[in-house]
Amino acid sequence: MEGIEHRTVEVNGIKMHVAEKGEGPVVLFLHGFPELWYSWRHQILALSSLGYRAVAPDLRGYGDTDAPASVSSYTCFHIVGDIVALIDSLGVDHVFLVAHDWGAIIGWYLCLFRPDIIKAYVCLSVPFWPRNPKVKPVDAMRALYGDDYYICRFQEAGEAEAEFAKNSSERVIKNVLINRTPGPPILPKEGMGLGYIPDPAMPFPSWLSQEDVTYYASKFDKTGFTGGLNYYRNLNLNWELTAPWTGTQVKVPVKFITGDLDVVYTSLGMKDYIASGAFKKDVPNLEEVVVQEGVAHFNNQEAAEEVSNHIYDFIKKF
């Protein structure tokens, strides 16, 4: 990771760790769960070499960024507030946004709340999810997939943490990152999140190394998983808070990239939402949908070079 600079900025009442490299228009990268700025290591190097300033924070609750204790300190307004303050600290009027997993969800909120500061959005894995005024999202997921659906299992404070603690952070992270089982993740009552790899010695895929997992684990050993899990615990509260935006379209230019084995793409009716044209209706400036063959959820790491090329091909037009 030569040449990547690290610093801490004060944003929205917290201290945020930021990794960055390069000069030029800002490309802001938002990571997901259970990840860090490090998830974007390949894209930071690629985009900074192409004339961009690549900026990747550890989001609230992760890595070397502060993790407030209260569950309710992780609403979409808190996280978007952090990001808006970060953008302001960079001394620019707008950024290119690239985001994955929970970062992608925050990215959609950012585009809804502050489209004036987003020049274009490259979204990975999680498409826009229009607010259904009739049902809360976790309630809808529970009705569809039952109590053992992973997001439902993450709702009770301390429960997932206790299950994760039965194993090393390293094993939990390796399990999550290299899972290639499509469809909704169903977690058993025991061994939550560890059903994918019965053998801890299972070899690493070519795109992930022991060094990578060790880095992630070193940070989660320090912080625990609570900060990241608190994002899931605010899904219903976010639904309540965003009632004023019901029916609002996202107007920024968007490119969407997912893998055909992605757990999000292959559950919750997302394939139909995208293919039916409903996604395009909600996001009228959706310019392209890319479905990567044989690629799973963490496509920014598994298909790093291809994703970097897609990002560049899109943002260079603006």
Side-chain angles (χ1 to χ4, degrees):
M1 299 296 102
E2 189 178 343
I4 296 178
E5 297 179 354
H6 297 266
R7 60 193 178 93
T8 300
V9 294
E10 300 247 359
V11 298
N12 197 22
I14 65 169
K15 289 183 172 67
M16 173 175 271
H17 166 249
V18 180
E20 65 176 298
K21 181 177 171 66
E23 295 181 3
V26 173
V27 184
L28 177 63
F29 296 94
L30 306 182
H31 68 79
F33 177 87
E35 299 178 88
L36 302 162
W37 74 269
Y38 188 82
S39 303
W40 299 107
R41 58 199 179 277
H42 306 295
Q43 287 76 30
I44 291 171
L45 298 178
L47 272 297
S48 64
S49 73
L50 292 167
Y52 292 91
R53 180 183 177 189
V55 178
D58 284 335
L59 294 177
R60 172 181 293 236
Y62 286 93
D64 295 316
T65 292
D66 285 350
S70 168
V71 173
S72 60
S73 294
Y74 294 82
T75 70
C76 58
F77 288 149
H78 289 88
I79 315 300
V80 170
D82 298 345
I83 300 304
V84 171
L86 171 61
I87 293 170
D88 185 57
S89 79
L90 298 173
V92 296
D93 294 328
H94 47 243
V95 300
F96 292 110
L97 180 65
V98 182
H100 170 260
D101 187 76
W102 253 107
I105 297 172
I106 297 303
W108 290 116
Y109 282 129
L110 182 57
C111 291
L112 270 181
F113 303 156
R114 293 298 306 273
D116 57 305
I117 58 175
I118 306 301
K119 204 164 189 179
Y121 180 23
V122 179
C123 177
L124 276 58
S125 177
V126 184
F128 181 64
W129 197 356
R131 182 182 184 276
N132 181 346
K134 297 179 180 177
V135 60
K136 295 179 180 181
V138 178
D139 299 358
M141 293 169 188
R142 187 169 278 116
L144 193 59
Y145 295 129
D147 291 336
D148 289 346
Y149 182 58
Y150 78 110
I151 290 175
C152 300
R153 298 280 279 114
F154 287 171
Q155 293 303 306
E156 191 65 40
E159 186 177 307
E161 291 93 326
E163 284 297 323
F164 290 159
K166 293 177 183 178
N167 291 272
S168 66
S169 298
E170 191 171 295
R171 187 179 176 200
V172 172
I173 290 161
K174 182 179 177 183
N175 267 274
V176 175
L177 291 182
I178 72 173
N179 169 40
R180 301 182 65 73
T181 306
I186 305 299
L187 304 182
K189 289 285 187 290
E190 293 296 324
M192 182 189 295
L194 297 167
Y196 305 125
I197 308 175
D199 178 10
M202 186 173 180
F204 285 92
S206 60
W207 54 270
L208 189 71
S209 69
Q210 178 64 57
E211 181 185 10
D212 297 332
V213 172
T214 298
Y215 180 82
Y216 284 117
S218 72
K219 299 302 180 181
F220 283 97
D221 282 342
K222 184 185 77 171
T223 63
F225 291 92
T226 298
L229 289 165
N230 282 343
Y231 287 58
Y232 295 94
R233 293 166 184 156
N234 279 280
L235 278 166
N236 279 353
L237 180 55
N238 288 341
W239 177 87
E240 294 178 22
L241 294 171
T242 55
W245 286 269
T246 302
T248 305
Q249 294 177 314
V250 173
K251 296 289 182 68
V252 303
V254 173
K255 180 174 188 172
F256 178 71
I257 310 169
T258 189
D260 65 355
L261 301 177
D262 190 302
V263 293
V264 178
Y265 181 63
T266 54
S267 59
L268 296 170
M270 292 299 185
K271 274 189 188 180
D272 289 342
Y273 173 65
I274 294 166
S276 68
F279 187 16
K280 174 72 172 174
K281 185 178 178 183
D282 292 329
V283 185
N285 294 320
L286 174 67
E287 295 192 14
E288 189 178 358
V289 171
V290 177
V291 181
Q292 299 171 301
E293 197 172 327
V295 175
H297 181 63
F298 296 94
N299 55 340
N300 53 337
Q301 298 180 74
E302 180 181 345
E305 186 177 358
E306 184 183 348
V307 165
S308 296
N309 290 339
H310 276 302
I311 294 167
Y312 178 64
D313 287 346
F314 187 58
I315 67 175
K316 71 181 181 182
K317 301 187 296 184
F318 299 92

